[in-house]
Amino acid sequence: MLCIVPLDVSNEWYRKTAELARTCSFQGSGEFLCSLMLDDSLCEYEKVFAAIIDDSVVGFCALVKESCCDSDDEPWLDFLFVDEKYRNKGIARLLVEAVCEYAKSLNFEQIFLCTATHREYYEK
C-alpha cells in the first residue's frame, strides 16, 4: 500500500529517504538533498515528502525556499524522484499534489518550478 508521508527529523522515514536521495540516479541533486536533510539544513517551512510502499521509500519530493534557478521567487517544488521500478504508477503525481497541498496550508498562492528536463511531464 502506498503512503505519502511528510517528513521531519524525528520521523522514522527521514534517514531512509535521505539515504535513497544519496544513492538514487538523480545526477547530484539527490546527494545535495541528502546533505540538506542530514545536516538539518532545511529551514523555515521547507519539507520533504516520501512515498512509502511496503516499508520501503520509493520516492520523494520537497518544498524548498530556494532553487538552482536565479530567482527571488519562493517556494519551489524541487527534488522530485521516484525509483525506476515504481515509475508510471502515479506516485510522482501524488508527491507533487502533497507538496502543493502543503504549500496551500502555508497560504502560498503559487509554487515555482525550475527544470531543464521533463518539461512535458510538469506541463500535464
Side-chain angles (χ1 to χ4, degrees):
M1 179 172 187
L2 171 68
C3 295
I4 305 297
V5 179
L7 303 177
D8 60 51
V9 293
S10 64
N11 187 288
E12 67 179 294
W13 300 107
Y14 194 86
R15 285 201 169 281
K16 291 179 182 182
T17 302
E19 180 61 20
L20 174 61
R22 186 183 69 75
T23 61
C24 75
S25 60
F26 200 13
Q27 304 172 348
S29 295
E31 288 180 11
F32 181 64
L33 176 60
C34 176
S35 68
L36 289 175
M37 292 175 74
L38 296 182
D39 294 343
D40 199 20
S41 297
L42 295 171
C43 59
E44 297 179 40
Y45 59 78
E46 295 180 306
K47 187 166 290 289
V48 178
F49 290 77
I52 314 294
I53 296 177
D54 298 330
D55 293 328
S56 296
V57 179
V58 300
F60 51 83
C61 189
L63 184 73
V64 295
K65 187 173 181 173
E66 296 178 11
S67 176
C68 61
C69 293
D70 187 21
S71 173
D72 292 331
D73 294 324
E74 65 176 272
W76 294 85
L77 184 146
D78 208 347
F79 303 110
L80 176 61
F81 175 81
V82 175
D83 185 282
E84 289 83 357
K85 294 180 288 192
Y86 295 93
R87 292 185 183 169
N88 300 310
K89 299 181 185 309
I91 296 170
R93 179 183 50 79
L94 293 172
L95 284 164
V96 168
E97 287 174 2
V99 167
C100 290
E101 286 301 313
Y102 175 64
K104 278 185 194 176
S105 77
L106 298 172
N107 296 317
F108 287 110
E109 293 181 14
Q110 59 186 344
I111 59 177
F112 298 89
L113 173 71
C114 182
T115 184
T117 60
H118 308 299
R119 185 180 184 124
E120 62 283 345
Y121 171 82
Y122 291 107
E123 287 176 346
K124 285 193 241 176

